Amino acid sequence: MKALPTARKTLPELYSRRHECCGCTACVFECPKKAISMEVDEEGFLYPVIDAIRCIGCGRCLKICTFKLRIKTAIDN
Ligand code: SF4
Ligand code: SF4
């Protein structure tokens, strides 16, 4: 059977460590494809999770995340 071509899509990384996300949900409301949902972690805190099928890789969720921007600015200065 012939293998189907695989389309590689880079999903945005909303946070790599938990302190990079405050759970504000701004990214959820910014996403034009409704690809982000908030899910509860094992400690009961909400974090955004991206649906890879719905995501089109537009990057709007990363741009709206001022919390991440604030952390980066604090580290750079
Ligand atoms: S906008 Fe940033 S801080 Fe807010 S929930 Fe999304 S990733 Fe977390
Ligand atoms: S990259 Fe665009 S489509 Fe994908 S989760 Fe972020 S805002 Fe939604």
Side-chain angles (χ1 to χ4, degrees):
M1 183 190 291
K2 191 176 171 187
L4 292 171
T6 53
R8 284 204 170 262
K9 177 169 53 180
T10 306
L11 287 180
E13 185 177 64
L14 289 172
Y15 63 95
S16 56
R17 286 172 290 175
R18 290 179 185 175
H19 73 264
E20 294 172 0
C21 175
C22 67
C24 70
T25 73
C27 54
V28 175
F29 291 100
E30 183 68 7
C31 179
K33 303 303 284 182
K34 299 193 184 330
I36 308 174
S37 57
M38 300 299 285
E39 294 187 7
V40 182
D41 73 356
E42 63 277 3
E43 294 176 340
F45 294 103
L46 288 168
Y47 287 95
V49 175
I50 296 174
D51 180 336
I53 304 292
R54 288 188 175 187
C55 176
I56 57 172
C58 67
R60 285 172 63 164
C61 52
L62 292 175
K63 286 187 192 143
I64 197 72
C65 183
T66 55
F67 189 74
K68 202 175 335 301
L69 193 64
R70 251 181 273 151
I71 291 173
K72 187 177 181 321
T73 305
I75 291 170
D76 289 349
N77 292 327

